[in-house]
Every structure is written in C-alpha cells, then in structure tokens.
C-alpha cells in the first residue's frame, strides 16, 4: 500500500514562477472553455481536443498535461452542480500549479524545469528537507507564496487486532473500540476559534466591498489555519491511539453531509453556519492519511441513523427531558450518551465488513490507561452505559 502525506513551506516567487503560475491558470481556463464547448469531461477526450490549442504556451509539455487534468477536475465538479440547477461557467482565478513530472530535489533545493533548459530553483527549509528524506516525492504544488510537496512511502498493511468507530460533532470526537473502551476528545477550542472569527468578521464595517471582502478573506484564512492546527492535534492523538492498539478506523461517509445543513430544515442560521464551517471533512482527511501512513485500515460506513438508533438493540432512541446529551432506549432500557451511541453504531457497521467479531458484553474490558499525563482523553466507564436489567 502506498501512503501519502504532504509538507509545506513558504517561499518568495521570482518572475519565472509567477509567469508559470499565470500560464497554468490560463491553460486551465482554456481547457475548461473547450471542455464545455465540446461537451467533454474525460481526461482522454479533453486531452485530444485541447492539447493542440495549448501549443502557443511556452512551457514544458507536462504542465500542459497537468493543466488538462486539473481542468477535468473542475469540469467534473461543474457538471455535478450544473445538474442541480443554474450555475455560472467555471473560471479559475487562483494561481496554483501542480505537477507530478519533471521536478527533482538536489542539494536541498527543488529544481523545476519550466522551459527547455530553464530551471526554477527553490531552496527547501530544513524542516521540509528532513521530512521528505528517504521518501518518494510524488508531486509539487506551487501557489504565489507556498510550496507543498506530496511524499509517499510503501507501507505494509497492519492486520488489525480491533477497530475504533469515530463520531465527530461540533464539540468533540468520540471513539468507541471493539475492546469496549470509549474515548472523547474535546474540540470546543476549534468551535470557539470559528465563532470568534465570525464575530470579528461581522464587525468589519467598511464601505468598499472589495476592502471588506479582502479583510474577510484574511480572517477566513487565519481561522482555517488555526482550526486546522487544532484538528491536526486531535487527529494525531486518535491515530496514535489506533497505532498503539493496532486498531483499524471506522468513520462515516459524509459525502453530501453539508446538504443536511441547508436552509429550511429548522436549524437556526448561526447553528447552520457553525456546522457548515466545521471541518468534518478536514478531520476525516487527516485521520485517513495519518492512519494509512501507519498501515492501519480505514473503513467508511453509511451515516444514516447512526445517531437515532440504539447501539444495543437497534430501536429508535428517545430524548430524556433536561438531559441534553443523554438518550434513552424505550425498548431495552439503556441510557446512553448520544456521542458514544453514535460511535458504537459506526463501529458496529464497520466491523460487519471486517474479519473480526465484536466482543460480547462479557468480553468487554476496562479501557487501558496509556500512562501519559498529557493525554487529554477522557476515559469513560463503560458500565455507566450497560443496559439496566
Ligand atoms: Zn435499545
């Protein structure tokens, strides 16, 4: 199995890099136009239609192939959205180039040919050099201020000795494992960062729309970076835990999740905003690539009903008045924390596809302590969730 990670650094671009970025952007837009006019969106068809039209661009030919392939991605998304209603023709404004060909790392520098016999040279930071040492570099992405390298290694898949189901919501990530332990990781900080920044943004009162947008974007970027850091911390702890116990990971397949939080479903605007901006996708992405890096299997399951059904007997759960986070099963009588219940349902769905069985109640063990005082895991006693007899 090939596992992939990325590492980033800042750099200052020279004229050649800026020219390459601008040409790449133009080539992408040209390909998008052709793709829409000729109604093609497969890589092969678009290459045939567009490649010759890119002859005028004075760059190495593999950037043309990469531009076609990037345009295919944009066209696919466009068609998906266009099917649902009216959309504007996609147009790329962002300067960004990604290539998987032609580059080399030599003497601590990234060498990137851009025209025949002309090479862009970017010095790599010690951190980047140390990170990529011994790994294969798969691709290079440049923006006007950032350079990121995707690097890969071959890992042998770990035979899992168990699984952990992961449920995430606004304030926490909850894990339930096949050996019966339950772990919660607090993410209030990330939610707080988001609400602080959206408050800051709502107080920006400038008349010029462009300035207002610029400031809002700046805060948006800062917020994303901050939240990303918090998520990195959480995903690292989760995957460390999985690695320590040789556990595979089960998560909900949340594609289309955001559609649940649209107007008219009874949730307030502020709540929708927080949910929409909440980076489920980012957290999952991080957990997935970090788990793969350790050779741990990742399983995705259908999310429908994971929070509504009893994880013991499958009946519909009822709310307990005045108990915000607790749910009660009217048929088997269990009282359960709603996050724990969801994590257990996710786990049970994943384990159905896995070659090991869920332990029966009798086999449930007390969660092991990892002896790390820094650990922010909140260990939950399982007995509190056992059915009342
Ligand atoms: Zn039940």
């Amino acid at each position: 199995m090939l596992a992939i990670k990325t590492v980033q650094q800042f750099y200052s671009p020279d004229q050649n890099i800026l020219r390459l970025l601008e040409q790449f952007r133009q080539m992408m837009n040209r390909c998008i136009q052709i793709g829409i006019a000729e109604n093609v969106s497969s890589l092969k068809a678009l290459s045939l239609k567009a490649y010759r039209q890119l002859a005028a661009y004075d760059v190495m030919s593999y950037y043309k192939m990469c531009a076609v392939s990037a345009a295919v991605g944009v066209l696919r998304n466009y068609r998906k959205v266009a099917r649902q209603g009216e959309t504007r023709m996609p147009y790329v404004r962002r300067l960004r180039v990604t290539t998987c060909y032609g580059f080399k790392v030599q003497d601590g520098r990234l060498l990137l040919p851009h025209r025949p016999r002309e090479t862009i040279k970017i010095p790599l930071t010690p951190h980047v050099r140390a990170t990529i040492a011994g790994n294969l570099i798969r691709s290079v992405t440049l923006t006007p201020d950032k350079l990121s390298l995707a690097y890969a290694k071959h890992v042998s898949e770990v035979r899992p000795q168990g699984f952990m189901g992961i449920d995430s919501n606004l304030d926490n990530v909850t894990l339930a494992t096949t050996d019966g332990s339950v772990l919660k990781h607090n993410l209030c900080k990330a939610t707080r960062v988001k609400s602080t920044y959206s408050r800051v943004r709502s107080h920006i009162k400038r008349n010029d729309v462009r300035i207002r947008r610029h400031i809002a974007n700046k805060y948006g970027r800062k917020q994303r970076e901050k939240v990303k850091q918090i998520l990195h911390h959480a995903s690292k702890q989760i995957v460390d835990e999985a690695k320590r116990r040789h556990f595979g990971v089960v998560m909900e397949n949340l594609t289309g999740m955001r559609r649940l939080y649209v107007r008219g479903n009874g949730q307030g605007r502020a709540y929708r905003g927080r949910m929409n901006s909440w980076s489920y996708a980012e957290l999952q992405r991080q957990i997935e690539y970090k788990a793969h890096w350790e050779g741990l299997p990742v399983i995705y399951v259908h999310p429908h009903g994971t929070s509504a059904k009893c994880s013991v007997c499958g009946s519909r759960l009822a709310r307990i008045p005045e108990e915000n986070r607790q749910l009660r099963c009217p048929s088997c009588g269990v009282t359960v924390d709603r996050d724990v219940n969801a994590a257990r349902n996710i786990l049970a769905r994943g384990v159905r596809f896995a070659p090991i069985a869920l332990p029966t109640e009798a086999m449930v063990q007390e969660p092991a302590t990892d002896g790390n005082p820094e650990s922010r895991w909140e260990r939950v006693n399982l007995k509190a969730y056992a059915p009342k007899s």
Side-chain angles (χ1 to χ4, degrees):
M1 187 168 75
L2 199 65
I4 300 171
K5 277 190 174 183
T6 57
V7 62
Q8 294 187 331
Q9 71 169 68
F10 287 101
Y11 78 104
S12 34
D14 62 15
Q15 284 311 308
N16 286 329
I17 296 173
L18 293 174
R19 181 183 151 275
L20 176 63
L21 285 165
E22 177 55 27
Q23 292 220 319
F24 195 82
R25 188 182 76 86
Q26 286 174 15
M27 289 194 295
M28 265 184 84
N29 283 327
R30 187 81 196 94
C31 292
I32 290 166
Q33 274 174 3
I34 294 167
I36 288 174
E38 306 264 347
N39 196 26
V40 291
S41 56
S42 80
L43 183 60
K44 197 177 163 199
L46 190 62
S47 308
L48 288 170
K49 303 262 185 213
Y51 193 75
R52 211 173 299 160
Q53 305 220 27
L54 300 179
Y57 293 92
D58 179 24
V59 289
M60 302 294 275
S61 60
Y62 42 79
Y63 291 113
K64 296 177 187 175
M65 287 316 298
C66 291
V68 173
S69 142
V72 166
V74 175
L75 286 168
R76 287 224 174 105
N77 286 335
Y78 167 73
R79 289 199 203 287
K80 231 183 276 166
V81 185
R83 238 175 275 140
Q84 292 161 8
E86 236 175 280
T87 42
R88 263 196 289 168
M89 170 117 154
Y91 181 79
V92 181
R93 289 197 168 71
R94 271 238 287 241
L95 290 171
R96 170 198 292 269
V97 57
T98 297
T99 176
C100 13
Y101 314 102
F103 56 83
K104 211 160 50 176
V105 173
Q106 209 173 58
D107 306 327
R109 288 184 305 180
L110 176 70
L111 307 184
L112 210 57
H114 63 112
R115 280 196 285 217
R117 288 181 302 281
E118 279 184 46
T119 301
I120 291 166
K121 297 178 182 128
I122 304 171
L124 299 174
T125 62
H127 170 68
V128 169
R129 294 212 303 261
T131 310
I132 59 174
N135 296 309
L136 322 154
I137 300 171
R138 301 267 296 174
S139 68
V140 173
T141 300
L142 293 177
T143 66
D145 62 343
K146 249 191 210 165
L147 154 70
S148 73
L149 299 176
Y151 58 101
K153 70 171 181 186
H154 289 281
V155 291
S156 40
E157 194 162 327
V158 172
R159 232 188 103 86
Q161 288 167 19
F163 278 85
M164 55 170 59
I166 303 180
D167 175 63
S168 50
N169 62 42
L170 270 179
D171 304 315
N172 67 60
V173 186
T174 306
L175 316 186
T177 67
T178 38
D179 67 3
S181 54
V182 173
L183 309 164
K184 270 196 189 203
H185 191 70
N186 198 332
L187 286 178
C188 292
K189 248 204 219 158
T191 314
R192 221 163 29 229
V193 167
K194 296 203 149 164
S195 49
T196 311
Y197 277 107
S198 52
R199 232 182 7 253
V200 170
R201 263 180 298 181
S202 69
H203 284 128
I204 301 168
K205 291 205 174 59
R206 294 290 288 266
N207 284 327
D208 188 322
V209 176
R210 282 208 323 256
I211 292 177
R212 219 161 46 213
R213 199 173 293 148
H214 176 78
I215 297 174
N217 281 342
K218 194 179 117 196
Y219 279 108
R221 246 191 333 268
K222 278 195 174 171
Q223 170 193 332
R224 272 195 301 278
E225 287 303 313
K226 267 223 164 113
V227 170
K228 236 179 165 176
Q229 281 316 308
I230 295 167
L231 297 181
H232 268 301
H233 184 76
S235 58
K236 182 174 186 305
Q237 289 211 357
I238 290 165
V239 174
D240 282 352
E241 185 77 14
K243 184 186 167 190
R244 198 175 60 79
R245 300 207 215 172
H246 302 280
F247 277 0
V249 167
V250 187
M251 294 188 283
E252 288 178 303
N253 182 359
L254 296 174
T255 319
M257 178 75 183
R258 287 176 180 216
R259 241 173 295 146
L260 291 173
Y261 301 102
V262 292
R263 263 174 88 175
N265 63 356
Q267 292 149 338
R269 204 170 75 97
Y271 181 76
R272 275 201 322 269
R274 276 161 72 204
M275 288 309 269
N276 275 330
S277 58
W278 177 238
S279 320
Y280 286 111
E282 175 60 19
L283 183 70
Q284 285 199 336
R285 189 188 69 83
Q286 292 180 5
I287 292 174
E288 183 180 316
Y289 81 72
K290 286 175 187 177
H292 279 156
W293 195 255
E294 303 298 342
L296 302 168
V298 177
I299 299 173
Y300 281 97
V301 297
H302 198 281
H304 185 74
T306 46
S307 50
K309 285 180 188 154
C310 170
S311 55
V312 177
C313 72
S315 314
R316 224 189 149 71
L317 291 166
R319 268 172 212 282
I320 303 174
E322 288 144 38
E323 277 280 8
N324 197 12
R325 309 211 66 92
Q326 299 283 310
L327 297 168
R328 214 184 98 84
C329 175
S331 68
C332 72
V334 69
T335 302
V336 65
D337 174 271
R338 63 178 192 195
D339 302 326
V340 172
N341 184 65
R344 287 212 183 131
N345 279 329
I346 292 165
L347 174 67
R349 268 180 208 185
V351 169
R352 275 205 310 233
F353 303 107
I356 62 156
L358 259 178
T360 59
E361 282 298 310
M363 284 166 65
V364 169
Q365 299 164 0
E366 283 297 305
T369 46
D370 57 10
N372 176 8
E374 296 287 311
S375 174
R376 292 201 288 131
W377 294 115
E378 179 190 322
R379 310 258 167 202
V380 181
N381 187 351
L382 254 193
K383 284 181 187 134
Y385 302 112
K388 284 175 194 150
S389 48

